[in-house]
Amino acid sequence: GINAEYGGKSKGGYVVEFGPMTLTEKASGNVYQVRRNPPLAIKSPNISSIQKKNSTAGFSDPGSSKMKIARQLTKWKEIDNPPDGNCTICMDSLSFAKSVKLSECVDHYFHQNCIVHCLKDTFLICPNCNKTYGVRVGTQPNGTMDVKKHKAGSVPLSGYESIGTIQINYNFPNGKQGPHHPSPGSEYEGTSRTGYLPDNKEGNEVLELLKIAWQRKLVFRVGTSVTTGRPNCVIWNGIHHKTATSGGVAAFGYPDETYFERVKAELADLGVK
């Protein structure tokens, strides 16, 4: 068995034997039983299936109004017998509480109450795949988006020299952060950015999507600049722009054969398509 000796060779030392769970005094040789007799019986709670289904698992009841909005947005399906596994929000077993499957996700199951707690004002994002249900609205601060079209040859884009160019100018003044920003009440540093698109079918399609993203406050956000490391700045929000007319991918310019495919995917991830 496994023993533990306490007190070294001193007169008051003792030995605990974990196999039989006994304690022996070295000085007297007396042996004491340390295991509870009779053993303590720990019984599993008898939770009926109805109790399980009414359990809130990791989150409390979010309220009927939020529940209704989340149900309408996701068109979830209630699952009587969920698959083995855990809710990826609270990490409790799916079988422990009422579970649902989101309509447009591939086999993404959650506790009903847990997924409702992911609801924003007008949208809900699947925690597993970032699929947006509803109209996603961001936290972009106030600014301006101006679009100007140039004739062919005046502001040429590499690979598109024979057609015109769309120039998008964004401008944000300095301001104060609101309740949805990283440091509410603190000042943030504004910025100016310029993006370019070819004035063709693909370029104008992306322009219209960018206008929608702008209206939904998804193009920029307040955060830490990757370039300078400064916090509390207006920065891009993950929708890549071509900020140079040439130089290729490395210079954030043209040519770039897969740019339109990538930027449309980025916009789609934000629910803009």
Side-chain angles (χ1 to χ4, degrees):
I2 301 175
N3 300 341
E5 187 170 337
Y6 300 88
K9 296 181 179 179
S10 63
K11 198 170 184 180
Y14 56 89
V15 174
V16 175
E17 295 186 53
F18 292 102
M21 288 302 293
T22 57
L23 182 146
T24 303
E25 286 184 345
K26 290 184 178 180
S28 64
N30 292 333
V31 178
Y32 301 93
Q33 182 74 44
V34 294
R35 175 177 291 171
R36 180 183 177 92
N37 192 15
L40 178 64
I42 301 176
K43 296 183 179 179
S44 298
N46 182 19
I47 303 177
S48 68
S49 59
I50 295 178
Q51 287 175 314
K52 287 183 179 180
K53 293 301 180 185
N54 290 334
S55 169
T56 57
F59 284 89
S60 59
D61 187 345
S64 60
S65 61
K66 284 188 175 182
M67 186 77 71
K68 181 179 180 181
I69 294 171
R71 183 184 294 110
Q72 291 173 340
L73 288 177
T74 63
K75 296 180 175 60
W76 67 41
K77 179 181 179 181
E78 295 186 7
I79 306 299
D80 292 329
N81 297 300
D84 292 337
N86 297 334
C87 169
T88 54
I89 299 173
C90 72
M91 299 310 296
D92 277 335
S93 172
L94 287 168
S95 62
F96 188 72
K98 184 181 292 183
S99 296
V100 297
K101 177 185 179 298
L102 303 190
S103 62
E104 297 183 31
C105 296
V106 179
D107 296 334
H108 292 169
Y109 301 87
F110 306 93
H111 292 139
Q112 180 176 274
N113 286 353
C114 292
I115 195 63
V116 173
H117 278 274
C118 294
L119 177 69
K120 306 297 183 183
D121 292 336
T122 59
F123 65 96
L124 186 151
I125 300 173
C126 174
N128 288 4
C129 67
N130 287 329
K131 163 68 183 175
T132 299
Y133 293 85
V135 178
R136 185 169 180 173
V137 179
T139 59
Q140 177 180 286
N142 293 332
T144 59
M145 174 186 181
D146 297 316
V147 178
K148 183 177 182 179
K149 293 194 174 184
H150 300 278
K151 294 181 179 180
S154 57
V155 184
L157 303 180
S158 294
Y160 300 94
E161 290 86 354
S162 62
I163 62 176
T165 296
I166 302 170
Q167 180 176 326
I168 310 170
N169 297 314
Y170 300 104
N171 184 64
F172 294 89
N174 297 337
K176 183 174 289 188
Q177 297 184 49
H180 300 297
H181 292 142
S183 302
S186 298
E187 301 292 326
Y188 65 79
E189 182 181 341
T191 191
S192 295
R193 294 284 186 271
T194 300
Y196 299 96
L197 294 165
D199 192 3
N200 60 8
K201 181 181 178 181
E202 279 192 311
N204 280 280
E205 285 178 354
V206 170
L207 174 62
E208 293 307 309
L209 292 172
L210 289 173
K211 287 179 179 179
I212 296 172
W214 174 265
Q215 293 168 355
R216 296 180 184 176
K217 297 183 176 294
L218 295 170
V219 183
F220 291 85
R221 62 185 174 89
V222 176
T224 299
S225 170
V226 176
T227 306
T228 66
R230 293 200 304 271
N232 303 319
C233 297
V234 177
I235 60 174
W236 294 110
N237 191 38
I239 304 172
H240 284 82
H241 284 58
K242 290 300 181 183
T243 55
T245 59
S246 61
V249 178
F252 306 104
Y254 294 94
D256 184 346
E257 294 182 358
T258 62
Y259 171 64
F260 293 107
E261 180 182 345
R262 298 197 318 271
V263 73
K264 286 180 183 178
E266 292 166 351
L267 286 158
D269 285 342
L270 295 172
V272 180
K273 51 188 175 181

